[in-house]
Amino acid sequence: MSTFSEMADLGHEQLVFCRNDEVGLRAIIGVHNTTLGPALGGCRLWNYANEADALRDVLRLSRGMTYKAAVAGLDLGGGKAVIIGDPASVKNEGLFRAFGRFVESLNGRYITAEDMNTTVEDMNWIGRETRWVTGSAKYAGGSGDPSPVTAWGVFHGIRACLEVVYGSSDVAGRTIAIQGVGSVGYHLARYLHDGGAKLVFSDISERKLAQCVDEFGGRIVDGDDFYGVDCDVLAPCAIGGTINASSIPGIRAPIIAGAANNQLDDEKRDGAAVDKAGIIYAPDYVINAGGLINVYAELKKLPSEKAMADAANIFNTVKVIINKAKAQGITTTQASNQVAEERIEQVARIRRLNLPSRGIEL
Ligand code: NAD
């Protein structure tokens, strides 16, 4: 497929290829849709096997951000950037500052942030060259690590699912299994523990597991045993693609609600399989929007309390989506996609009205 056909297929507005041999920069910025506002999305650094893989990733990820922002009710469009290279060897000040200059050249159409293999410190370098960066360190004027806000949103999304299944959103006494107790999973465990939940942990890091059991009690399960844990909620907070044809048949929990991106290996196939198994699935991009809500608050100079309140509102959003899915006999992901598309279309319609905002000039 040609690049233009791939863009048309997913509905992209713009792709920007960025090259600077002096610092070894090869990056692609994807601007998917700016109907609701500037395209915001993180910058991923990854050692892609080839350029086609990088292109596919930036197209898919930037489209996902459009949906995430739309459902979260933010005035943001969807964008994402990928830098091609080995994180162990290419990172340096020049690389990120060069990337920052390309971001600046888009004059706010794209706003960047952290993603896989890019850190608060990297955002600080980018911020030396452009205003259009979020998530830099608090001492550099940014909002810092978004993980606690993401976890707060996931916590409230879990409460919404519990209310639908059990008639009460209270986490006290409920058993929740968390896969991945990294930045988000750890804070989620803290909120759940404070709410009186019983916890089960799975991670590849013995150190992180030991820290969680030490602080929150609970028990540890090995690897794939996570999926079959007898619990109320499975919360995948590690990697994508874990809800798939081999894991779904063993799942005993009535709810899947976690922070990880792209949990469904195949959105259509696995979304339908989960639904058929009678499991409530909180769409990942809906329940993990707290991080985006946090950087939006940073951009709008809103207090952190407002970001936490908006992340807590994920409770209502998740309920609306589950109820819509039930009413229409569709999967929760189909329902959330519809909510996003309807909102974007409404705003696009208003734009097409083409009414002058400041009177008609001669
Ligand atoms: P992280 O790297 O801090 O934590 C991930 C944890 O998962 C680590 O502790 C790691 O050891 C563990 N892990 C990795 N592979 C595993 C496996 N196979 N089984 C069990 N554990 C495994 O990442 P994070 O920032 O906490 O993000 C977690 C997920 O949430 C990612 O999918 C991320 O894209 C998504 N997410 C994060 C944010 C955020 O604010 N950080 C926002 C939205 C979405």
Side-chain angles (χ1 to χ4, degrees):
M1 217 196 268
S2 78
T3 304
F4 277 115
S5 307
E6 285 196 68
M7 286 174 74
D9 205 34
L10 295 177
H12 282 75
E13 290 177 10
Q14 187 179 14
L15 270 182
V16 186
F17 289 78
C18 315
R19 179 187 69 84
N20 185 299
D21 288 343
E22 285 181 78
V23 294
L25 177 73
R26 284 185 305 149
I28 313 174
I29 298 171
V31 174
H32 176 256
N33 188 302
T34 55
T35 306
L36 299 178
L40 192 147
C43 169
R44 177 168 294 191
L45 173 58
W46 193 254
N47 206 1
Y48 293 98
N50 51 55
E51 287 172 25
D53 283 359
L55 178 62
R56 212 168 299 122
D57 213 26
V58 78
L59 287 171
R60 189 179 56 88
L61 293 167
S62 53
R63 179 174 179 271
M65 292 306 296
T66 297
Y67 281 74
K68 184 184 281 208
V71 175
L74 306 174
D75 292 337
L76 289 174
K80 202 90 181 185
V82 296
I83 299 180
I84 303 169
D86 182 355
S89 57
V90 298
K91 275 191 164 198
N92 60 58
E93 175 179 352
L95 180 93
F96 287 108
R97 291 186 72 151
F99 175 72
R101 293 189 82 104
F102 282 106
V103 172
E104 178 65 16
S105 75
L106 292 172
N107 206 19
R109 270 180 65 72
Y110 168 68
I111 303 171
T112 199
E114 291 109 332
D115 197 72
M116 275 164 72
N117 295 319
T118 57
T119 62
V120 164
E121 288 71 34
D122 301 332
M123 296 308 116
N124 293 346
W125 292 129
I126 293 170
R128 301 274 185 104
E129 302 294 335
T130 182
R131 295 157 283 169
W132 307 112
V133 56
T134 57
S136 46
K138 286 195 172 150
Y139 62 79
S143 59
D145 178 14
S147 307
V149 189
T150 303
W152 188 235
V154 175
F155 172 70
H156 288 283
I158 287 175
R159 288 181 53 245
C161 295
L162 288 171
E163 187 166 287
V164 171
V165 173
Y166 297 113
S168 162
S169 63
D170 198 349
V171 300
R174 297 281 170 213
T175 303
I176 292 152
I178 305 176
Q179 181 186 51
V181 282
S183 308
V184 181
Y186 169 81
H187 289 290
L188 176 63
R190 184 165 55 82
Y191 295 134
L192 289 167
H193 172 71
D194 291 350
K198 292 180 246 171
L199 299 173
V200 180
F201 305 111
S202 160
D203 200 294
I204 49 173
S205 159
E206 296 292 331
R207 181 185 57 79
K208 290 180 183 174
L209 287 170
Q211 185 190 354
C212 282
V213 172
D214 189 42
E215 288 186 34
F216 312 125
R219 65 188 179 93
I220 294 169
V221 288
D222 275 344
D224 286 351
D225 291 346
F226 167 76
Y227 304 103
V229 172
D230 188 8
C231 61
D232 299 297
V233 182
L234 281 188
C237 296
I239 51 170
T242 54
I243 308 303
N244 54 41
S246 65
S247 65
I248 293 169
I251 294 177
R252 296 160 77 187
I255 297 166
I256 302 172
N261 276 315
N262 306 317
Q263 288 167 42
L264 299 172
D265 193 31
D266 180 300
E267 190 176 290
K268 273 202 191 119
R269 182 197 64 203
D270 300 321
V274 161
D275 196 46
K276 200 166 163 222
I279 300 166
I280 299 275
Y281 169 68
D284 45 17
Y285 72 79
V286 177
I287 194 170
N288 73 15
L292 184 62
I293 288 169
N294 190 54
V295 291
Y296 182 72
E298 175 187 334
L299 280 172
K300 293 282 210 179
K301 301 192 171 30
L302 303 169
S304 58
E305 293 78 17
K306 166 78 173 136
M308 290 300 264
D310 287 351
N313 192 45
I314 287 175
F315 177 88
N316 293 315
T317 311
V318 168
K319 270 183 63 180
V320 165
I321 282 161
I322 295 172
N323 289 333
K324 182 180 173 72
K326 283 190 170 186
Q328 296 186 18
I330 55 178
T331 68
T332 49
T333 307
Q334 285 169 322
S336 56
N337 288 351
Q338 272 186 23
V339 169
E341 284 161 13
E342 281 162 12
R343 180 165 177 242
I344 293 165
E345 181 48 30
Q346 272 188 37
V347 175
R349 247 180 239 149
I350 291 160
R351 297 275 156 73
R352 286 197 291 270
L353 268 174
N354 203 20
L355 294 178
S357 53
R358 268 181 254 126
I360 300 171
E361 288 176 27
L362 284 174

